[in-house]
Amino acid sequence: MFVAILLFLLLLTAAFSFVVDERPMVRWVVFTVIVLVLTLMAGLRPIGIDKDSWQYYGYYLGQYDDIVELSFIHIRELVKATMGDVRGVFLLYALIAIPLKCYVFTKLSTEHFLLLGVYMSNFLVLHDMTQIRVGAAMAFIFLGFYFFTQGRRWPFFCLILVATYFHVSAILLLLVLLFRNNDLKPWHRIVLALTPLLALTSAFFDINLSTLIPISFVQEKMELYEGLKEKGAVDVEKINIFNAAIMLKLAVFYFLLWKYDVVKKHCAYLTLLLKIFALSYVCLGMLNFIAVFAARVSELFLFVEILMVPLIIYAIRPQWVGRLFISIYIIGIFLLNVVYAGLLNF
């Protein structure tokens, strides 16, 4: 029933993405109600419906305090003093993460339902219903990115630091400060086009380039995962770099790169999106020798997928065809996450 309701809301979101903005109040009411329902579903979900809730129940009981951020300990103690139930932790994380992210969607694009649909198909399930600490961090990453698109780097920097309070890996987003939102010249586009391919090629041929990352946090994390891998505590299997989800997202990247001049007229920060996306695949390729770590780091930068996929409508005519394609895309990604990857039990 839980998954069925979630799928219904996803279909409803996709349907409203076709509705022209003649009655904006109706669209805002529907958007707000969907966000509210998603927040309650994530916060009050049954323990065991996702892959991590039993683990978080252990955290709630006080286990493994040495590997969770202070934010979790603070939220846990607040819940113990008030609600007295682990679902209170889930609910507080959902209230922090989901409404803030969805609000930022409305600031970054006029296509609110398309952004919401892409978010629901992947990141809602992956983060806000599974990796809830990452989910909360992502809310502040999104807010920071909004300021970054306006050229306001200090608010971005400060919000990334806030994000690390919820999940320490968010510190890697400071790499985005290296990027500028300048127009791409032809040779820039060639470099961007080759970057994901070279990264995935290094993974395919098992070339370990991770030692080139001059960040102590990354090196420490890799040493930790290496130790766990040797003990058999983490998955040693490589990520299938040719799986359907990776190939679909890569296809969107190359399509937008191909249609760059057309889409840039409708999205002033397209250059940033493409650069950050390419960085996510660099991480996926360079760190593929530890599958769990590669996936987690890559996902941090893949938040731009939520903003990139809806841009397809500006490059396809008639526009409803683009909306239809995106609807098929989000339903396909959702089914891959739930049925194939098993992120939710149904």
Side-chain angles (χ1 to χ4, degrees):
M1 180 61 72
F2 185 91
V3 174
I5 294 172
L6 197 55
L7 180 58
F8 169 77
L9 291 174
L10 182 62
L11 293 172
L12 181 64
T13 301
F16 264 87
S17 70
F18 286 88
V19 178
V20 293
D21 214 359
E22 294 175 352
R23 296 182 178 179
M25 184 55 68
V26 174
R27 287 167 54 86
W28 272 109
V29 169
V30 173
F31 183 87
T32 303
V33 169
I34 291 175
V35 172
L36 177 60
V37 173
L38 293 177
T39 303
L40 293 175
M41 288 182 69
L44 302 176
R45 67 189 184 276
I47 297 178
I49 192 80
D50 61 278
K51 286 189 171 184
D52 285 7
S53 52
W54 281 114
Q55 182 178 352
Y56 276 108
Y57 182 66
Y59 293 165
Y60 179 76
L61 296 178
Q63 302 172 10
Y64 317 115
D65 278 1
D66 57 329
I67 62 172
V68 294
E69 292 76 11
L70 277 176
S71 60
F72 184 88
I73 296 173
H74 293 160
I75 289 173
R76 180 189 67 196
E77 295 308 312
L78 175 62
V79 168
K80 283 185 175 181
T82 53
M83 305 179 209
D85 188 286
V86 68
R87 284 189 182 85
V89 173
F90 299 155
L91 184 59
L92 280 181
Y93 269 99
L95 287 169
I96 292 168
I98 298 175
L100 178 55
K101 271 183 275 201
C102 294
Y103 169 73
V104 178
F105 295 165
T106 68
K107 304 295 288 184
L108 286 168
S109 173
T110 57
E111 296 292 339
H112 309 154
F113 283 98
L114 287 179
L115 268 67
L116 182 61
V118 179
Y119 161 68
M120 290 172 62
S121 69
N122 187 21
F123 295 93
L124 173 72
V125 177
L126 180 62
H127 291 157
D128 298 311
M129 291 186 177
T130 307
Q131 303 165 13
I132 58 175
R133 287 145 55 223
V134 178
M138 276 295 174
F140 294 96
I141 289 170
F142 259 106
L143 184 58
F145 182 74
Y146 166 68
F147 289 112
F148 194 75
T149 61
Q150 299 178 324
R152 301 168 66 182
R153 291 176 172 248
W154 275 110
F156 172 80
F157 176 82
C158 293
L159 285 163
I160 294 303
L161 295 184
V162 174
T164 62
Y165 173 63
F166 291 95
H167 202 280
V168 67
S169 62
I171 196 70
L172 292 172
L173 267 295
L174 291 178
L175 290 172
V176 173
L177 288 170
L178 300 174
F179 297 147
R180 292 189 302 153
N181 194 33
N182 54 314
D183 289 336
L184 292 178
K185 297 178 181 178
W187 72 271
H188 289 149
R189 302 184 202 185
I190 294 172
V191 171
L192 267 181
L194 291 175
T195 298
L197 294 179
L198 292 174
L200 295 181
T201 299
S202 72
F204 182 77
F205 289 104
D206 204 23
I207 302 172
N208 185 359
L209 302 176
S210 59
T211 55
L212 301 178
I213 304 176
I215 301 176
S216 59
F217 162 75
V218 176
Q219 296 295 335
E220 290 170 5
K221 276 287 186 180
M222 286 189 292
E223 289 174 7
L224 173 63
Y225 276 108
E226 279 284 13
L228 292 173
K229 186 173 74 172
E230 290 173 2
K231 295 177 182 178
V234 298
D235 183 14
V236 297
E237 294 297 323
K238 300 293 189 293
I239 295 172
N240 176 15
I241 59 176
F242 299 108
N243 72 49
I246 289 177
M247 291 298 103
L248 276 173
K249 294 170 187 179
L250 201 56
V252 171
F253 169 78
Y254 282 116
F255 180 76
L256 293 179
L257 193 58
W258 174 38
K259 296 290 186 178
Y260 177 82
D261 293 321
V262 175
V263 178
K264 186 72 163 59
K265 298 175 184 177
H266 302 275
C267 179
Y269 52 88
L270 176 61
T271 301
L272 284 174
L273 297 180
L274 294 173
K275 289 179 178 179
I276 296 171
F277 181 93
L279 179 58
S280 74
Y281 272 61
V282 168
C283 295
L284 187 66
M286 290 179 65
L287 304 174
N288 194 50
F289 70 103
I290 304 179
V292 175
F293 191 48
R296 293 291 176 91
V297 174
S298 177
E299 287 158 8
L300 282 174
F301 297 101
L302 266 180
F303 74 92
V304 294
E305 175 197 356
I306 297 173
L307 303 168
M308 288 172 60
V309 174
L311 297 176
I312 290 172
I313 64 171
Y314 300 119
I316 296 178
R317 291 292 181 270
Q319 200 175 91
W320 69 265
V321 175
R323 294 180 187 277
L324 179 61
F325 174 83
I326 294 169
S327 298
I328 296 171
Y329 175 95
I330 63 178
I331 293 169
I333 293 293
F334 178 80
L335 293 176
L336 282 172
N337 280 324
V338 174
V339 179
Y340 178 73
L343 293 183
L344 293 177
N345 295 319
F346 63 96

